Amino acid sequence: MSQDAIAAALVAGQTPGIDAMVDYWRETDGGLRPKQETIAVLAALSAAPFTFERVLAFVRYLDVAYPRIDLPVSHKAVNIVGTGGGPATFNISTTAAFVAAACGATVLKSGSPAYSSRVGSSDVLKALGLGKAHSHDALAEDLETIGIGFADASVYAPLCRRLAVAAMPLPFKMIGRFVNALGPLICPYRTRGAVVGTSSPDLFDIVRRTAAETDRVVLTAHALCGVDELVSVGPVRLAWPGKSEPDLLDPRDLGLPPGRVGMLAGGELEHNAALLQAVLANEGPAEATATVALNAAAVLCIGGEAGTLREGLDLAQEALRSGSALRKLADARDLVQARTGTGRHVA
């Protein structure tokens, strides 16, 4: 099958074979495909329902072309990130990352500027005086010193940047949904595992199957309310690594009271930054605090600090009560400001 035929099939909503699509991404990565074609393919992939074969081909190509990077302690680290989509919430996974790190986990947090929500992980981190590590050495220092680090988008595979450049002058947000949603599966670092939230049942199934096919240790989650995180306010489907069938978690079984998903809603940058700090200070809305603790518990399970979600939840709630979660944010800010010589933040 020629490269022209593969591109035409993708634009038409068809799915060529996985090997054919891997070859197509190799040609695209080498700069051998026309810009207009790349835009058309990206737009078609982003507009159409995701399929397992298309996602697997993209991830498989990146694994071969750009082997994941080993940092000194990244083999102990857990990434927590969502695919985007669904109701716009505050920065739950970013907040949970600080809580999990306060409990002894090593957390390598990936993320991006706002895509499907108003305020992305990068946005709120900048507001808090943090930003992201722009080099492997800086990220390794953060992980080793304080147990938490934030990967910058610039460290992702060159193919992702090439696709964004090819899309110009169109904003990548407009046609890049396919690549953005796969961000949790293409973190460039080799980690112990990941907690990945998905916004739809179909994406939940695709992510868990792709993780299994590519030897990734991923706890995949989908809240039935459509949020791409674990939530305390309703049932959550969980696909644990190594298990053939998903579980259905009722947070009430962990002692978490029911609540309203609207209490997890995000807002403008200042609102999200303030809410993140309020939750870490154990002064946020009950639903937000419980949801963050539940996500941190999932990280602790994948990281090996907890044997069950119940154990992880106890650790996370104690970190919030004791103030150690808020201190972890201060530690991260101090380290970044010492490295950059800055001291300004909005929040």
Side-chain angles (χ1 to χ4, degrees), residues 23-107:
D23 288 341
Y24 181 77
W25 289 121
R26 184 178 296 109
E27 291 281 308
T28 302
D29 199 13
L32 303 177
R33 304 309 302 167
K35 173 184 173 73
Q36 294 83 354
E37 176 188 285
T38 301
I39 292 175
V41 168
L42 270 179
L45 289 173
S46 296
F50 284 30
T51 70
F52 168 66
E53 291 80 9
R54 294 176 191 173
V55 169
L56 178 61
F58 190 83
V59 175
R60 187 169 283 173
Y61 169 70
L62 292 184
D63 280 353
V64 172
Y66 304 101
R68 281 171 280 174
I69 301 161
D70 288 303
L71 296 178
V73 296
S74 66
H75 65 281
K76 299 192 303 182
V78 177
N79 188 13
I80 175 170
V81 62
T83 58
T89 63
F90 79 101
N91 304 91
I92 294 170
S93 61
T94 303
T95 314
F98 289 107
V99 179
C103 296
T106 301
V107 186

Side-chain angles (χ1 to χ4, degrees), residues 293-329:
L294 182 57
N295 280 271
V299 172
L300 295 172
C301 287
I302 297 300
E305 289 78 24
T308 64
L309 281 175
R310 175 72 267 177
E311 292 177 9
L313 189 60
D314 288 343
L315 291 171
Q317 290 172 330
E318 176 57 27
L320 290 165
R321 285 193 296 266
S322 69
S324 63
L326 186 60
R327 286 195 296 273
K328 186 59 66 173
L329 170 61

